[in-house]
Amino acid sequence: MQRRRAVAKAITLLESTRPDHRARADELLAQLLPHSGRSVRLGISGVPGVGKSTFIEALGLFLIERGHRVAVLAVDPSSKVSGGSILGDKTRMERLSVDERAFIRPSPSSGTLGGVAEKTREAMLVCEAAGFDVVIVETVGVGQSETAVAGMTDMFVLMQLPNAGDDLQAIKKGVMELADLVVINKADIDPDAATRAQAQVTSALRLLTQHGRAMAWAPHVMSMSALTGEGLERFWQTVEEFLAVQRGGGALEARRKQQALEWMWERIDAGLRSEFRENPAVRELLPQLRNEVAAGRVAASTAARKLLDARRT
Amino acid sequence: MQRRRAVAKAITLLESTRPDHRARADELLAQLLPHSGRSVRLGISGVPGVGKSTFIEALGLFLIERGHRVAVLAVDPSSKVSGGSILGDKTRMERLSVDERAFIRPSPSSGTLGGVAEKTREAMLVCEAAGFDVVIVETVGVGQSETAVAGMTDMFVLMQLPNAGDDLQAIKKGVMELADLVVINKADIDPDAATRAQAQVTSALRLLTQHGRAMAWAPHVMSMSALTGEGLERFWQTVEEFLAVQRGGGALEARRKQQALEWMWERIDAGLRSEFRENPAVRELLPQLRNEVAAGRVAASTAARKLLDARRT
């Protein structure tokens, strides 16, 4: 209990926007960092109704029974508006949330996706330093949050319903190609539909990757039922198989390196943009120039140069 | 001939990276702008071998015979490396390029996609001010160049070969959903395959848009042969139909407004990023911090904050 409270407190500090808190947060991060990184980072995405909570609770209970310590985090940029659509309501994972070997934290609600993702990344480091060796990051299938979650985890799992057309939606949104593993859930309801969906996704993935280079790991597809637990053990075996392959060739280390650098640049870009918007000269000029550009009276490139120059004088 | 030379000269000035040229270029843009905008801006994309050049030459000749003046521009960020893979070789559009009612300009080769796109956008304004009333912007199916071209044109046309799996590739890359019109080319070679491809793309587009809002224009699909000219007239009819629908509801104006504002922000972001990279404090700190982040010794968010702060002191 002590440990969970300390983790929660640390994350609250990291989520604070007060400048003095931010300085202490950076110190804390520096202290934590050498103890972080020793976990399996698992990203899980899927549209609302696909059964993510049921799956994560079942998986969490399965893992703590086997000696793991499981942290569940979330990235949901809409949580501010909706009042926390995922993980906000802890009763959704009743059994897991009361277990001391598990830690569940709803999505931070700091507005932009980049901001929310940053807080979740930092929370992940806290959980790792506190000894949680499986960190699950959940997201809903909206906007670019899947890309953010795939960008902070070792393995990205896409959950799908056994519906025709679902695979096409995922391909369209570019989520399918992020997936290391596609899970067709709710196979208990209609096993035939699940089998068909599995075949569909398998052939879609084959077409998506056929023009690419040879991969150490071709994305897998499996069907299961989170509700009955059927397929859960197979799921975890697949995760372990994936990790073995990735660790062997150094791909896991390379992935984490690249993720860290991309994260750094994403934060730099966000910082530059917010500085720019807060600059007094920009605040004065922007509204009018924006209108002129929209009306076609000033070229967009000219307006951009004017605004950039205005800050320097 | 006079006019074409003046246009070419103006574009060369706009493409220059010399600071004194840039000031004159901004003046020129300001003068041109009131006379720009009165053209049909047509984006055309498709993988190499789909027959873009043949199609554009046939369309260009068709249009100038009907009294139009046609400019053909290109966005190809790879042209620097490849020495101009599209439009660089004017002999590819032999008949169109010698006609004074047409103006053909290869892709600028200034490196980043954002830079190349900016030059092409500005060249478009020059062509419009010079009286070209159809501007065709060509791009190859690589990277994000399709998004850039769709972001500067009134209508985005995707050319496809009658091959199975081609539609899935386009969906995967997010290009299909940019398309206002999909053209299956080379229908003369295998009419049955073209018919099948047309049906496939039609059903894919239906699935892609079924969850969306009602649209004034649902993306069309047609098959044709640029080589024989079969379908060319129908193509242009479809373009005119599209424009009538878009102009009626004010959608065309709204699209151009949004494009101009997005262009402005894209240029601002690019400017901020390049300023940042050139800052002396950043240049000094970045190499080491990048290594520390990659090695997991410094948190990415901490590094980003350090670099942002370093510029201010």
Side-chain angles (χ1 to χ4, degrees):
Chain A
M1 203 53 171
Q2 207 58 3
R3 183 170 356 197
R4 293 208 293 175
R5 202 173 293 150
V7 169
K9 223 177 128 185
I11 294 176
T12 301
L13 174 66
L14 291 168
E15 287 183 356
S16 168
T17 51
R18 274 176 49 183
D20 58 322
H21 284 178
R22 193 61 253 179
R24 277 172 55 205
D26 272 335
E27 269 173 53
L28 178 68
L29 275 180
Q31 283 167 22
L32 291 176
L33 212 59
H35 310 285
S36 71
R38 286 187 291 266
S39 82
V40 175
R41 300 172 178 174
L42 205 59
I44 302 208
S45 175
V47 293
V50 76
K52 284 191 299 299
S53 299
T54 309
F55 174 68
I56 292 170
E57 169 147 61
L59 177 63
L61 294 169
F62 172 92
L63 290 171
I64 57 181
E65 269 166 41
R66 275 153 192 81
H68 292 286
R69 295 169 48 83
V70 180
V72 183
L73 308 172
V75 171
D76 178 10
S78 68
S79 67
K80 201 181 189 177
V81 182
S82 66
S85 61
I86 53 176
L87 293 177
D89 182 7
K90 281 201 184 181
T91 55
R92 289 190 321 143
M93 295 190 198
E94 236 172 17
R95 287 174 60 207
L96 191 63
S97 63
V98 297
D99 197 296
E100 297 194 16
R101 293 162 295 178
F103 175 78
I104 302 181
R105 178 91 179 184
S107 176
S109 53
S110 45
T112 66
L113 172 59
V116 171
E118 163 158 307
K119 301 304 173 196
T120 303
R121 281 173 178 280
E122 293 181 348
M124 181 160 71
L125 302 177
V126 174
C127 294
E128 289 177 344
F132 291 95
D133 65 335
V134 179
V135 180
I136 296 170
V137 186
E138 179 186 6
T139 192
V140 281
V142 286
Q144 295 296 306
S145 60
E146 288 105 337
T147 311
V149 170
M152 67 175 81
T153 51
D154 301 326
M155 183 176 191
F156 186 70
V157 178
L158 174 64
M159 292 182 70
Q160 295 250 284
L161 288 169
N163 290 344
D166 253 35
D167 53 331
L168 205 63
Q169 283 296 319
I171 295 168
K172 175 199 168 187
K173 289 176 52 216
V175 180
M176 187 72 89
E177 61 188 296
L178 297 173
D180 300 301
L181 172 62
V182 178
V183 170
I184 316 286
N185 193 28
K186 305 198 180 179
D188 52 316
I189 296 171
D190 186 346
D192 290 345
T195 307
R196 278 198 305 277
Q198 195 177 340
Q200 255 175 27
V201 172
T202 303
S203 80
L205 282 171
R206 199 173 299 135
L207 275 163
L208 285 179
T209 52
Q210 71 182 356
H211 297 278
R213 48 183 168 50
M215 295 180 297
W217 174 269
H220 283 34
V221 187
M222 61 173 287
S223 66
M224 66 169 293
S225 164
L227 195 66
T228 67
E230 168 78 36
L232 201 57
E233 196 157 347
R234 201 153 30 84
F235 171 83
W236 190 248
Q237 275 167 12
T238 309
V239 172
E240 290 191 320
E241 199 190 317
F242 172 83
L243 291 171
V245 170
Q246 297 294 92
R247 280 184 186 130
L252 189 65
E253 207 190 320
R255 181 171 177 153
R256 285 191 175 185
K257 258 187 198 181
Q258 201 198 330
Q259 287 176 342
L261 288 172
E262 278 169 11
W263 178 19
M264 183 183 82
W265 281 112
E266 195 275 325
R267 288 292 82 198
I268 288 170
D269 284 337
L272 293 174
R273 175 77 84 103
S274 105
E275 249 175 39
F276 177 84
R277 282 183 175 277
E278 283 159 20
N279 180 280
V282 171
R283 288 170 72 114
E284 201 190 309
L285 281 174
L286 183 59
Q288 201 204 326
L289 271 174
R290 195 165 41 198
N291 289 344
E292 302 272 323
V293 167
R297 284 192 298 268
V298 174
S301 47
T302 304
R305 276 190 291 274
K306 270 193 187 168
L307 289 164
L308 290 167
D309 288 345
R311 294 165 317 139
R312 296 190 199 104
T313 52
Chain B
M1 202 53 171
Q2 207 58 2
R3 188 172 350 199
R4 292 209 294 175
R5 203 174 290 151
V7 169
K9 222 177 130 187
I11 295 176
T12 302
L13 173 67
L14 291 167
E15 286 182 357
S16 168
T17 50
R18 275 176 49 184
D20 57 323
H21 284 179
R22 193 61 251 179
R24 275 171 54 205
D26 273 334
E27 267 171 57
L28 178 68
L29 276 180
Q31 282 167 21
L32 291 176
L33 212 61
H35 310 285
S36 71
R38 284 188 291 265
S39 83
V40 176
R41 300 170 177 174
L42 205 58
I44 301 208
S45 175
V47 294
V50 76
K52 285 191 299 299
S53 299
T54 309
F55 174 67
I56 291 171
E57 168 147 60
L59 178 63
L61 293 170
F62 172 90
L63 289 172
I64 56 181
E65 269 166 42
R66 274 154 193 80
H68 292 287
R69 294 171 47 84
V70 180
V72 183
L73 308 171
V75 171
D76 179 11
S78 68
S79 66
K80 202 180 187 175
V81 182
S82 65
S85 59
I86 51 176
L87 293 177
D89 183 7
K90 282 202 184 180
T91 55
R92 289 189 322 141
M93 296 189 198
E94 237 171 18
R95 286 175 58 206
L96 192 63
S97 64
V98 296
D99 197 297
E100 296 195 16
R101 294 163 294 178
F103 175 79
I104 301 181
R105 177 92 180 184
S107 176
S109 53
S110 46
T112 66
L113 172 59
V116 171
E118 163 157 306
K119 301 306 173 197
T120 302
R121 280 173 177 282
E122 293 182 346
M124 181 160 69
L125 301 177
V126 174
C127 293
E128 289 178 343
F132 291 95
D133 65 335
V134 179
V135 180
I136 297 170
V137 186
E138 179 187 7
T139 191
V140 280
V142 287
Q144 294 296 305
S145 61
E146 288 106 337
T147 311
V149 170
M152 68 175 80
T153 50
D154 301 327
M155 184 177 191
F156 186 70
V157 178
L158 174 65
M159 291 181 72
Q160 295 251 283
L161 288 168
N163 289 344
D166 251 34
D167 53 332
L168 205 64
Q169 284 295 320
I171 295 168
K172 174 198 171 189
K173 289 176 53 217
V175 182
M176 186 71 89
E177 61 188 296
L178 298 174
D180 300 300
L181 173 62
V182 178
V183 170
I184 316 287
N185 193 27
K186 304 197 181 180
D188 52 316
I189 295 170
D190 186 346
D192 290 347
T195 306
R196 277 197 305 277
Q198 195 177 339
Q200 256 176 26
V201 172
T202 303
S203 80
L205 282 170
R206 200 174 298 136
L207 276 162
L208 285 179
T209 51
Q210 71 181 357
H211 297 279
R213 50 184 166 49
M215 294 180 297
W217 174 268
H220 283 35
V221 188
M222 60 173 287
S223 66
M224 65 169 292
S225 164
L227 194 66
T228 67
E230 166 80 33
L232 201 56
E233 196 157 347
R234 201 152 31 84
F235 171 82
W236 190 246
Q237 274 166 13
T238 310
V239 172
E240 291 193 318
E241 198 190 319
F242 172 83
L243 291 171
V245 170
Q246 297 294 94
R247 280 185 186 131
L252 189 67
E253 207 190 320
R255 181 170 176 156
R256 285 193 174 182
K257 260 188 198 182
Q258 201 198 332
Q259 287 176 342
L261 288 172
E262 279 169 10
W263 177 20
M264 181 184 82
W265 282 111
E266 196 275 325
R267 288 292 82 197
I268 288 170
D269 284 337
L272 292 173
R273 175 77 84 101
S274 105
E275 248 175 40
F276 177 84
R277 283 184 176 277
E278 283 158 21
N279 179 280
V282 170
R283 289 171 71 113
E284 200 190 310
L285 281 173
L286 183 58
Q288 200 203 327
L289 270 174
R290 196 166 39 198
N291 288 345
E292 302 272 323
V293 167
R297 284 191 299 268
V298 174
S301 47
T302 305
R305 276 189 291 275
K306 271 191 188 169
L307 288 164
L308 289 167
D309 288 345
R311 294 166 316 140
R312 296 190 199 103
T313 52

